[in-house]
Amino acid sequence: MNKWIAAMLLLLPVAGCGGTQTQSEPDDDQYTQEDLRHETGDVYRPSNSGKDDDGVEKGSRDKPARTDTVKNDESPKKDPEPKVEPKKDPEPKVEQPRKDPQPKKDPEPKVEQPKKDPEPKVEPRKDRNDLIAVFIANVSTRMDDLEGSKAWKEFLKAKEKFDDRMDKALEKGNDGRGKDAEAAWANAIQSWYEVRYMYELFLHVNRKAGNDFEPGAGLNFDELQVYSDQQLKSDDCAHTYAAYELAEPKMKQVRQFQTDVLKYDLVASKVFQDDKQAKKWATEKQKWQDATEGKFDDKDLKKYRE
């Protein structure tokens, strides 16, 4: 077949060249049929040009219908199935040994404190009430007597002097008279120490009872229950109690002078803290300090002791 095709290709240029020549002019070099047979003698030629090589007429074969489908031998490639890893057996779970729960401790039993029986209220006996009544009467009588004593009168005089000087100092302070106000406060402070000294002296010279007896304020049955029968029967205890009961109410305003005036009044506080001003009441202050410790001038004791 290949040789035949090659021979046909060779004829094409020859025919072209011959087209330019006329039939009347024969070409000595013209390629003849004989030449073709010599060159293509080995090429296969069908015996009948109108038939196919197998002897069947051309065009007589049945053509496949258009509806016929051509099967493709190659089936469509399927996606490879994913590789499934074999499942591994799970590792055995090692359980931790359970700890035995701690046994709950029984709560300690509450130890209830034994309730104390309330102390029975002791009703005062009738004879003790009578004893207290006698003591109150005795104190009242002695209070009347003490009002006429020299020590009491001196105490009242010192108290009146203090009240007068404090009033003047307050007046000077309100007027804002500078030096005059400071001098007035210095005098009030001096008399303040004097009255406190006379209070201590009055109680001292009128103390007849022993040191184990402490007088209290007020004359009523409830407060006097703290004293023993012996103390309630004692005239010395009644006398000591009378002096305290008489003088104590007078000292209320004297004590307020320190807490209310010297602490909050600017001029009075300034004078009280001034070392130069303090020289004006140095003697009175020292006498008072000694009196609080039980130390008194012998002359004063002789003068005011009854």
Side-chain angles (χ1 to χ4, degrees):
M1 180 66 71
N2 291 334
K3 289 181 179 181
W4 185 84
I5 294 172
M8 291 298 291
L9 292 174
L10 291 174
L11 289 178
L12 290 175
V14 174
C17 293
T20 58
Q21 297 178 356
T22 61
Q23 295 179 358
S24 61
E25 295 179 0
D27 190 354
D28 295 336
D29 296 330
Q30 184 175 5
Y31 188 82
T32 63
Q33 191 72 22
E34 190 68 25
D35 293 331
L36 178 62
R37 282 195 299 269
H38 285 292
E39 291 179 2
T40 62
D42 295 334
V43 177
Y44 171 78
R45 294 181 180 86
S47 57
N48 190 346
S49 59
K51 297 180 181 180
D52 290 333
D53 293 342
D54 53 1
V56 180
E57 291 184 2
K58 294 180 180 179
S60 62
R61 294 179 181 272
D62 294 333
K63 295 182 180 179
R66 294 182 181 273
T67 59
D68 293 345
T69 58
V70 178
K71 291 185 180 181
N72 194 346
D73 294 339
E74 295 182 0
S75 57
K77 293 182 180 180
K78 294 181 180 180
D79 294 336
E81 294 183 1
K83 188 175 181 181
V84 179
E85 295 289 340
K87 291 184 179 180
K88 293 182 180 180
D89 293 336
E91 295 181 0
K93 187 174 181 182
V94 180
E95 293 186 359
Q96 296 294 334
R98 292 183 180 179
K99 293 182 180 179
D100 293 336
Q102 294 292 334
K104 291 183 178 179
K105 293 182 179 180
D106 294 334
E108 295 182 0
K110 262 186 182 179
V111 179
E112 294 186 359
Q113 297 294 334
K115 293 182 180 180
K116 293 182 179 179
D117 294 333
E119 296 181 0
K121 188 174 180 181
V122 178
E123 295 291 337
R125 293 175 300 177
K126 184 177 181 181
D127 56 348
R128 186 170 173 78
N129 285 343
D130 293 342
L131 189 60
I132 292 174
V134 172
F135 180 80
I136 293 174
N138 194 3
V139 170
S140 298
T141 301
R142 291 178 182 276
M143 287 176 66
D144 294 338
D145 293 341
L146 287 173
E147 287 179 346
S149 65
K150 292 180 181 180
W152 176 249
K153 291 178 180 180
E154 194 65 29
F155 169 72
L156 290 179
K157 190 183 294 185
K159 175 66 170 55
E160 291 172 2
K161 181 179 180 181
F162 166 72
D163 292 340
D164 181 62
R165 287 187 174 184
M166 189 178 70
D167 292 341
K168 289 181 179 179
L170 290 171
E171 291 176 3
K172 298 286 184 181
N174 292 334
D175 291 343
R177 297 179 181 178
K179 297 295 181 180
D180 291 342
E182 292 181 4
W185 281 117
N187 291 334
I189 295 170
Q190 182 184 35
S191 62
W192 179 58
Y193 283 112
E194 288 178 349
V195 68
R196 289 198 290 171
Y197 168 76
M198 286 305 303
Y199 171 77
E200 296 292 337
L201 179 60
F202 176 75
L203 294 181
H204 180 76
V205 297
N206 288 287
R207 186 173 184 87
K208 307 294 183 179
N211 293 330
D212 60 336
F213 179 81
E214 290 296 333
L219 287 174
N220 58 69
F221 283 87
D222 291 335
E223 292 183 2
L224 295 176
Q225 292 288 345
V226 298
Y227 300 112
S228 65
D229 292 352
Q230 184 179 358
Q231 290 172 331
L232 293 173
K233 294 175 183 179
S234 171
D235 290 339
D236 290 341
C237 288
H239 188 91
T240 303
Y241 200 101
Y244 182 84
E245 186 70 17
L246 188 64
E248 182 59 25
K250 299 290 185 181
M251 290 299 293
K252 181 179 179 181
Q253 188 177 3
V254 175
R255 293 192 178 97
Q256 288 177 341
F257 178 73
Q258 183 175 8
T259 58
D260 298 348
V261 179
L262 295 180
K263 187 175 181 180
Y264 296 106
D265 189 283
L266 297 179
V267 180
S269 178
K270 177 183 176 182
V271 172
F272 184 63
Q273 297 176 20
D274 191 341
D275 293 337
K276 292 182 179 179
Q277 294 281 5
K279 295 178 181 179
K280 297 179 180 180
W281 59 80
T283 302
E284 289 76 15
K285 181 179 179 180
Q286 188 61 51
K287 289 180 69 174
W288 168 75
Q289 287 179 337
D290 291 342
T292 57
E293 299 174 2
K295 301 175 184 178
F296 296 92
D297 191 311
D298 290 339
K299 292 181 180 179
D300 289 338
L301 293 176
K302 290 179 181 179
K303 180 180 179 181
Y304 298 111
R305 194 179 292 278
E306 297 296 334

